Amino acid sequence: MKRKYKITENYWMSISDMMSALMIIFLFVAIAFMIKVQEQQREMNEIIVEYKNIKSEIYEALYEEFKDDFKYWDAELDRETLSIKFQEPEVLFAPGSSEITPKFKAILNDFFPRYIELLSQEKYKNVIQEIRIEGHTSSEWNNQKNTPEAYFKNMELSQARTRSVLEYTVMLPQVEAARPWLIGKITANGLSYSQRVIENGVENPNKSRRVEFRIRTNADEKMSELEEKTR
């Protein structure tokens, strides 16, 4: 019995040693995982800070450049989206037309070369992911409002309008030097009335009909890549 007891004791000691070893391994794995998570969080925080700083810097540069013009253009600069919004529909296009009015051409002649000169500076050009020309409409079409047909007709119109603005601005002689860089960044996006302006629960059709120049930085892409690594 004594001999048998020693065998059992040694057996349980071996199990105990193995469990201790496994616990140490699991501990090291957990520590390594925590270090990886902390490192990813640190990278994420750095990107967020960098994104906020560059976004704020671009906003301030745009504001200083155009602050005296917004009133005359009936335009505004959105800090959150870095979007310059041209909001006077009668100035932009005739109703139902994608042909740019002479007055809006005059505004674009003044605005766009200065806009691109600022964004294509060395300190900004490599962080600009996309310059989006966005066309927005109200939900109205003829006598219809907020219907599938109105949506698709307005989509066709908004896309045609943004293509007109894209072609006109990119081909301005004043931006010829920046055109190769610009072509790799600028896009035309017709959005119909998917982002119409609602005030007090009611659509404001005039404010809904607008053209926006919106900036996306590559911080968005970096954050997406980091999020993919953490999945």
Side-chain angles (χ1 to χ4, degrees):
M1 290 295 294
K2 188 175 182 181
R3 181 183 181 88
K4 188 174 181 181
Y5 173 79
K6 286 184 177 180
I7 293 174
T8 303
E9 183 179 12
N10 290 337
Y11 170 79
W12 285 112
M13 287 179 63
S14 299
I15 292 293
S16 177
D17 291 343
M18 184 173 66
M19 292 299 293
S20 297
L22 287 173
M23 288 180 65
I24 292 172
I25 292 172
F26 288 144
L27 180 61
F28 279 125
V29 170
I31 292 172
F33 177 76
M34 289 174 62
I35 292 173
K36 182 180 179 181
V37 169
Q38 289 174 349
E39 179 65 20
Q40 289 173 338
Q41 186 61 50
R42 183 188 63 79
E43 291 179 19
M44 183 76 79
N45 291 339
E46 288 178 356
I47 291 172
I48 291 171
V49 170
E50 179 187 1
Y51 172 70
K52 288 182 177 179
N53 288 342
I54 194 66
K55 188 176 178 181
S56 177
E57 189 174 338
I58 292 173
Y59 172 84
E60 294 298 335
L62 289 172
Y63 179 77
E64 285 301 315
E65 178 65 33
F66 298 116
K67 64 183 179 182
D68 296 328
D69 302 300
F70 289 136
K71 180 180 178 180
Y72 300 103
W73 294 344
D74 197 7
E76 66 177 31
L77 172 61
D78 187 286
R79 179 184 287 272
E80 185 61 30
T81 62
L82 296 179
S83 176
I84 294 179
K85 305 176 183 181
F86 294 93
Q87 303 176 108
E88 182 50 64
E90 299 302 322
V91 170
L92 309 179
F93 305 94
S97 173
S98 62
E99 185 175 348
I100 304 171
T101 66
K103 188 170 183 179
F104 191 32
K105 284 183 179 180
I107 291 173
L108 291 173
N109 291 344
D110 184 17
F111 159 72
F112 195 72
R114 293 158 60 193
Y115 183 68
I116 295 307
E117 182 179 5
L118 189 154
L119 296 182
S120 61
Q121 292 179 38
E122 200 62 40
K123 59 181 176 179
Y124 299 135
K125 65 187 299 183
N126 293 325
V127 301
I128 300 295
Q129 180 72 21
E130 181 184 14
I131 300 170
R132 294 171 56 91
I133 302 174
E134 294 185 351
H136 302 268
T137 70
S138 70
S139 62
E140 301 169 349
W141 184 266
N142 292 333
N143 296 322
Q144 300 183 58
K145 185 174 181 180
N146 201 14
T147 65
E149 183 176 357
Y151 174 79
F152 291 119
K153 290 293 185 181
N154 278 307
M155 179 65 76
E156 182 180 351
L157 178 62
S158 64
Q159 290 176 342
R161 285 176 169 178
T162 54
R163 284 196 301 270
S164 294
V165 174
L166 174 70
E167 183 175 353
Y168 184 80
T169 52
V170 170
M171 294 309 297
L172 284 171
Q174 302 96 308
V175 301
E176 183 176 2
R179 195 172 293 148
W181 173 81
L182 181 57
I183 286 175
K185 301 294 182 181
I186 197 163
T187 62
N189 306 268
L191 299 171
S192 187
Y193 60 79
S194 61
Q195 296 181 21
R196 60 190 185 275
V197 176
I198 306 297
E199 295 179 339
N200 300 319
V202 179
E203 177 183 359
N204 184 322
N206 280 336
K207 288 189 177 181
S208 294
R209 302 182 191 112
R210 65 197 188 277
V211 171
E212 298 188 23
F213 288 78
R214 183 187 297 251
I215 298 167
R216 291 182 63 249
T217 72
N218 58 14
D220 300 317
E221 183 180 10
K222 289 180 181 178
M223 291 183 70
S224 296
E225 290 175 356
L226 200 56
E227 286 173 356
E228 284 293 327
K229 292 179 181 179
T230 60
R231 291 178 182 174

